[in-house]
Amino acid sequence: MGVDRRTIPPAIVSIVLIALFSLVLPALDRSIDHEREIEAGDVVNLGSGITFVPEVGWGLKDGLLVGHDTVSRVEEGSHLGATLVHGGVTFTVTTGAFTGTPDELLDRVHSLNEAFKRVDSGTHGSERVTATTDGGATGVAQSFTGVNVDGVITTFVIDGVGIEFVVSGPPGSLDVNTDAINDMIASLAADRPEVAR
Amino acid sequence: MSDPAATIASPAARQLSPDMPGKGRSVQIFQPRNLASWVFLWGLAFGAVAAFRWFQPVSIAVGTATMWASVLFFLYLLPWLWFLRHKDRRTPIPAKVLIVGFLWGGLTAAFLIALPGNDSLMSIYGKAVSPEFAHDWGAALAAPFTEETGKGLGILLLMFIAPRIIRLPFDGFIVGAFVGLGFQIFEDVLYAANEAISGFGADQVHAVMQTLMLRGATGIFSHALYSAVYGAGLVYLIGTAVIPVHRIRGIGYILAAMLMHGAWDAGSAIAGEIGVAPLAVMAGIGLIELVVILLIGRRVSRGERAWLREILTPEVDRGTITQAELDALVGSGRERRRFIRSAHGYRDRRMARHVLEAASDLAEALGASDGHDSPEARFARSEVERVRCGAAAG
């Protein structure tokens, strides 16, 4: 009992196209290592009028810069993110609508991280401390340490927008970049003066 | 372009060609000798695994949103199901084919093909051109390829699994609509969950309602109708025993589906490019797409009506149904309603409606037996007479 030969071409076409979209394209994407190197004067756009100043020399893997305009307007209420990398350290910013306190936001972040298993179960978190931006906004920061990772999560809430910074890297990698990391977080700003608090 | 109805092989008056559409036939999705069947089931299984791997952590992280989105989008699905079954009322495609098509769209096309395909393609655009380009045009240049192809593969495989069911462009249109509907519903649940996650899981019900308003309102220009056009195009492109190959028309329909999808996704960027409010541009694109889809839908449904007329004309000669009943059965919804209203009194109107339904069953029974006088066809014919006599006696 052989295969019905008429059904072979559609089967092969389907297998090839499924493999193209689910395996080949992701592999191709991973193979392209591309970052936009941050230059003096660059500012990252997080939407809703919120920005921060990235460290010169770091690589922008994902995110939009102020002044590098998009055709489709970044809407008033839109929430953007960004990812920067440097020497094994990954600096990720996520924004979204949030009306609670920075402390509550950090609780939410922990519960999402747990659900998505973003952090090893063996990772140990420190006490929460206050973080402050140059503009005077206050947030909450918490360091975490694991066998293979060091990191810090910092949260702010500005005018109904929750902002989460996650910085992580191999043990010791954050220490040599402490000033750059703190400067970037402190540069967080809202372009509407009345909303910065 | 010639009328699709005219391209149908013309069978002898009583006995239909074995090549005629086999509506009413039963179909097995698993066919050991059919490689398309193996790939289809393999794709469904891998799609289910991919969907589970996505939903499992999400349902923990934003369980309320996932539950509400599933319930609300299931309710949103019901009028669509009614609408599509109404469109396919004359000679309905077996539910089994539509259900597996729906699942292919929701599981395989969405989670196995489109999700990794879109992410990687948009990322590649960002790296190869610029993040701004990817932000503006990424979705419009990814989704028409990944999503329409993913859904189209389901239609393609079903054409080879159920070749006696999917024979007319209208069949491809209906199967495509169900594949697209599956994609749309699962994608809507995914969007609602993502919206809740982007709000850090704080106000999940609000995130779901926001998604429901946006996606529900724009759903009419979405996957179900693009894939319907794509499905009709595939039937023309590949051809069936009933429809000869029409490469240009087939490719034209498929490109139209992809173009409509791309234009809809690019609405915001087009608005920015020409300096017009995004809402106005989206409304304009939506209106044009609606007209195109309606025109294509009307065109392909003519083929189905021609098939129905051909298979039931001998029944008029035989006296089972009248010419007026046949005309109403193959006519538009308005013609059907006019015929029913022309009957005098409630009882006669009800009888007219029941006769049309029984005649539709007779067409299916005849289609299933290639026009032969099978026991099912004889029973269906007796039902037409019973409905008519029962009403007269009552």
Side-chain angles (χ1 to χ4, degrees), chain B residues 87-131:
Chain B
K87 285 284 157 201
D88 192 32
R89 67 187 179 280
R90 294 188 185 90
T91 53
I93 287 173
K96 194 193 286 182
V97 174
L98 299 178
I99 290 169
V100 294
F102 182 92
L103 291 175
W104 176 279
L107 300 174
T108 313
F111 288 93
L112 186 66
I113 300 172
L115 207 57
N118 281 345
D119 281 354
S120 45
L121 209 47
M122 286 171 71
S123 171
I124 290 168
Y125 289 142
K127 292 170 182 175
V129 187
S130 73

Side-chain angles (χ1 to χ4, degrees), chain B residues 22 43 75 99 108 113 146 153 166-167 223 232 262 297 323 330 355 384:
Chain B
L75 294 176
I99 290 169
T108 313
I113 300 172
T146 57
L153 291 179
I166 306 170
R167 294 204 158 185
H223 292 282
Q323 185 63 46
V330 302
V355 166
V384 177

Side-chain angles (χ1 to χ4, degrees), chain A residues 1-4 6-7 10-11 14 21-22 25-26 29 32 36 63 68 70-72 96-98 105 108 112 115-116 162 164, chain B residues 33-35 39 57 61 112-113 117 120 123 127 131-132 135-136 145-146 149 157 160 197-202 269 272-273:
Chain A
M1 206 168 73
V3 169
D4 181 350
R6 289 170 302 180
T7 64
S14 300
F21 290 123
S22 60
L25 278 181
D29 178 35
I32 305 172
R36 175 189 273 173
H68 292 240
T70 54
V71 182
S72 48
F98 192 81
L105 178 56
R108 295 298 321 162
L112 289 177
F116 289 107
E164 171 203 3
Chain B
R33 293 180 60 237
N34 185 330
L35 209 54
V39 173
L112 186 66
I113 300 172
S120 45
S123 171
K127 292 170 182 175
E132 291 76 26
H135 181 268
D136 288 333
F145 299 106
T146 57
T149 307
L157 292 168
F160 285 85
I197 291 167
S198 76
F200 303 99
E273 202 68 81

